[in-house]
């Protein structure tokens, strides 16, 4: 789905995150089954069409899943130790922790919209909406995610997708496979992907909401899909 050499060589520069405080951004939430990885992405569009997009992500995993996965892949333990993945106690993800982190992010950054897949996320979306967050349903499929998928792939090739060196997102991107419809629209396909792609899906949801905004169509770009 993505050109991983461009991902490694052109994207992911260091950034002083303090410059993002109060800046407009768009969110995407991919709430997994409660026993696996969940991802929340904030994507910050540039102020000009040829500028860099920044993606900041949060991940969660229950500790029992972490222990099981760590037996197969030591990198998972490193991600938790280094703070890339937050581990919640018990066999399932604590959604209260997820909500708390999202609300904390909303107090720092200006979230214009937070897109979510309504499957498995209705309650947490209602809770966040009651807290004042602008929640938007984004169902999985070519119609809702096609433009965002194309945009993210283009940004990677152009070196304009700053993933901040997030190793979990890089793993998701490497795993990601796409599904194409009869009109050559492409979207991420969890069933065909090699492993977890939650952060990619969350980021595509966020990008889809960003480029759907009136007055921001010029940010969609003209580069052909590179995947």
């Amino acid at each position: 789905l993505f050109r991983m050499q461009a991902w490694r060589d052109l994207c992911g520069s260091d950034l002083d995150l303090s410059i993002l405080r109060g800046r407009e951004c768009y969110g995407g939430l991919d709430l997994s089954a409660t026993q696996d990885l969940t991802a929340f992405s904030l994507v910050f569009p540039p102020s000009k069409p040829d500028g860099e997009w920044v993606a900041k992500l949060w991940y969660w995993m229950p500790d029992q899943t972490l222990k099981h996965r760590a037996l197969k892949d030591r990198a998972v333990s490193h991600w938790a130790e280094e703070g890339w993945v937050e581990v919640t106690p018990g066999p399932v993800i604590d959604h209260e922790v997820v909500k708390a982190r999202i609300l904390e992010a909303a107090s720092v950054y200006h979230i214009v919209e937070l897109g979510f897949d309504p499957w498995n996320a209705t309650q947490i979306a209602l809770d966040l909406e009651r807290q004042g967050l602008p929640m938007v349903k984004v169902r999985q499929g070519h119609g809702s995610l096609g433009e965002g998928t194309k945009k993210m792939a283009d940004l990677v090739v152009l070196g304009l997708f700053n993933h901040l060196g997030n190793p979990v997102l890089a793993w998701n991107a490497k795993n990601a496979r796409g599904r194409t419809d009869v009109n050559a629209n492409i979207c991420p396909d969890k069933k065909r992907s090699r492993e977890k792609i939650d952060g990619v899906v969350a980021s595509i949801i966020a990008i889809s909401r960003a480029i759907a905004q009136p007055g921001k169509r010029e940010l969609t770009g003209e580069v052909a899909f590179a995947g």
Side-chain angles (χ1 to χ4, degrees):
L1 188 58
F2 301 105
R3 295 283 179 85
M4 292 310 296
Q5 184 172 350
W7 184 284
R8 292 187 297 269
D9 297 346
L10 303 179
C11 306
S13 59
D14 291 335
L15 185 71
D16 180 0
L17 295 181
S18 66
I19 69 172
L20 300 178
R21 293 181 67 91
R23 195 166 131 188
E24 284 193 358
C25 58
Y26 296 81
L29 177 63
D30 188 39
L31 201 65
S32 68
T34 55
Q35 299 177 34
D36 219 318
L37 194 69
T38 280
F40 167 55
S41 177
L42 284 183
V43 170
F44 299 80
S47 57
K48 54 184 180 179
D50 58 347
E52 178 181 76
W53 291 58
V54 179
K56 178 173 173 53
L57 281 92
W58 291 256
Y59 286 96
W60 298 270
M61 182 182 290
D63 62 0
Q64 288 192 17
T65 301
L66 174 71
K67 292 172 184 176
H68 175 72
R69 282 185 169 274
L71 294 174
K72 300 178 182 179
D73 188 351
R74 178 60 184 164
V76 178
S77 293
H78 287 311
W79 295 338
E81 292 165 1
E82 294 169 0
W84 296 106
V85 175
E86 181 173 4
V87 181
T88 65
V92 298
I93 290 175
D94 185 345
H95 286 179
E96 293 301 316
V97 173
V98 175
K99 286 189 290 186
R101 294 293 175 269
I102 292 174
L103 290 170
E104 182 180 12
S107 72
V108 177
Y109 309 108
H110 178 192
I111 302 177
V112 178
E113 288 186 358
L114 203 171
F116 69 98
D117 179 359
W119 183 87
N120 204 35
T122 302
Q123 187 58 54
I124 191 171
L126 287 172
D127 292 345
L128 291 170
E129 192 167 47
R130 291 191 188 103
Q131 295 291 327
L133 268 73
M135 307 298 295
V136 179
K137 291 181 182 179
V138 180
R139 300 187 184 280
Q140 306 298 293
H142 297 95
S144 55
L145 298 183
E147 286 297 317
T149 303
K150 176 181 179 296
K151 177 63 178 176
M152 185 170 169
D154 289 348
L155 290 172
V156 170
V157 170
L158 293 169
L160 296 177
F161 183 75
N162 191 347
H163 48 65
L164 302 175
N166 190 312
V168 193
L169 184 56
W171 176 62
N172 291 164
K174 185 178 179 180
N175 293 332
R177 297 293 181 270
R179 182 176 75 252
T180 306
D181 67 8
V182 294
N183 296 314
N185 297 309
I186 192 164
C187 69
D189 188 338
K190 289 187 175 183
K191 291 182 179 179
R192 292 185 62 238
S193 297
R194 296 188 298 181
E195 247 282 13
K196 304 300 293 182
I197 63 170
D198 305 76
V200 163
V201 173
S203 297
I204 289 173
I205 290 173
I207 291 171
S208 297
R209 296 316 307 157
I211 63 179
Q213 301 309 302
K216 299 188 187 298
R217 294 292 183 181
E218 70 276 7
L219 298 178
T220 59
E222 300 297 334
V223 180
F225 173 68

